[in-house]
Amino acid sequence: EVQLLESGGGLVQPGGSLRLSCAASGLTFSRNDMSWVRQAPGKGLEWVSVISGSGGSAYYADSVKGRFTISRDNSKNTLYLQMNSLRAEDTAVYYCAKWVPAVQGVSWGQGTLVTVSS
Amino acid sequence: QTVVTQEPSFSVSPGGTVTLTCGLSSGSISTSYYPSWFQQTPGQAPRTLIYSTNTRSSGVPDRFSGSILGNKAALTITGAQADDESHYYCVVYMGSGIWVFGGGTKLTVL
């Protein structure tokens, strides 16, 4: 069974930075694309970013491009999201996901809350 | 920029059948968009129901089915049950590595 455990959320001031982590188990981590998906309070799901299994390719939603960086350490089975220049509108629960919707489906973590506020 | 559209809300009677759709503000959805469907109840992580148009995720009952209907992706629930009352989201592949979620449908069973 795939298990994904996010950490690193918390309260940060506007303009600040935060790094989220996602520890994965129950899968061959390096063979799977991984994504971050977020959900602002009371709002719908928003796809944020995806990284290929090797880490060689990464893509971002326009809303975070240039501010967020997705990365992975396959030796540690861990996914990261470095978030810089944070804004109030980045406040959300951030979900880590094994992201293979074209072939194998999507497995979800439980999420970590990021609050951007002064 | 193309928007992924879903009905904001829908209602179904217990035991009834409902079809939720996922479309584009411009153009048609086909299997090449690999539409997937997710169910989410308040305070919980999403649950994957359907991926790649019509493949049920492990453990999902067969009363949930996915298809392409006309120019939209569709999620059909047959024999609706009280615990199907949830939010339902679709996501589609827009090319160049980019995925986009629809705004979600709040389904009421009454």
Side-chain angles (χ1 to χ4, degrees):
Chain A
E1 179 188 2
V2 175
Q3 293 196 351
L4 302 170
L5 183 61
E6 302 94 336
S7 60
L11 175 63
V12 60
Q13 292 188 339
S17 297
L18 208 58
R19 188 177 84 156
L20 306 182
S21 299
C22 172
S25 61
L27 74 165
T28 306
F29 185 68
S30 62
R31 292 186 181 178
N32 288 277
D33 292 359
M34 299 293 293
S35 268
W36 290 98
V37 174
R38 68 183 181 182
Q39 187 170 36
K43 303 297 185 181
L45 299 173
E46 180 186 13
W47 176 84
V48 172
S49 181
V50 66
I51 187 168
S52 63
S54 67
S57 299
Y59 302 93
Y60 300 90
D62 285 346
S63 57
V64 306
K65 195 178 299 182
R67 300 187 299 123
F68 290 12
T69 302
I70 192 171
S71 63
R72 62 193 298 158
D73 185 337
N74 287 344
S75 69
K76 296 181 178 179
N77 285 3
T78 302
L79 176 73
Y80 303 101
L81 186 67
Q82 178 66 43
M83 304 185 293
N84 298 332
S85 303
L86 282 161
R87 307 166 180 167
E89 54 264 37
D90 296 318
T91 294
V93 173
Y94 284 74
Y95 294 101
C96 163
K98 171 193 162 187
W99 192 259
V100 200
V103 181
Q104 298 178 5
V106 177
S107 300
W108 298 85
Q110 287 302 303
T112 187
L113 176 62
V114 173
T115 302
V116 184
S117 174
S118 55
Chain B
Q1 186 170 357
T2 302
V3 175
V4 178
T5 61
Q6 295 184 246
E7 299 88 356
S9 62
F10 228 116
S11 63
V12 61
S13 300
T17 295
V18 62
T19 296
L20 311 182
T21 68
C22 176
L24 299 176
S25 57
S26 176
S28 301
I29 286 183
S30 66
T31 56
S32 299
Y33 284 80
Y34 304 107
S36 295
W37 292 89
F38 309 95
Q39 178 191 51
Q40 188 184 35
T41 53
Q44 299 296 313
R47 170 197 181 196
T48 302
L49 297 175
I50 301 287
Y51 62 93
S52 195
T53 305
N54 56 15
T55 303
R56 266 186 301 277
S57 191
S58 177
V60 174
D62 59 7
R63 56 197 187 78
F64 291 91
S65 62
S67 63
I68 299 292
L69 286 181
N71 62 350
K72 295 182 179 182
L75 173 70
T76 299
I77 307 171
T78 57
Q81 301 178 0
D83 60 3
D84 294 336
E85 187 162 294
S86 295
H87 283 87
Y88 292 86
Y89 296 93
C90 67
V91 72
V92 298
Y93 182 59
M94 302 301 285
S96 301
I98 303 301
W99 295 81
V100 178
F101 278 93
T105 298
K106 182 177 181 180
L107 180 67
T108 301
V109 181
L110 51 74

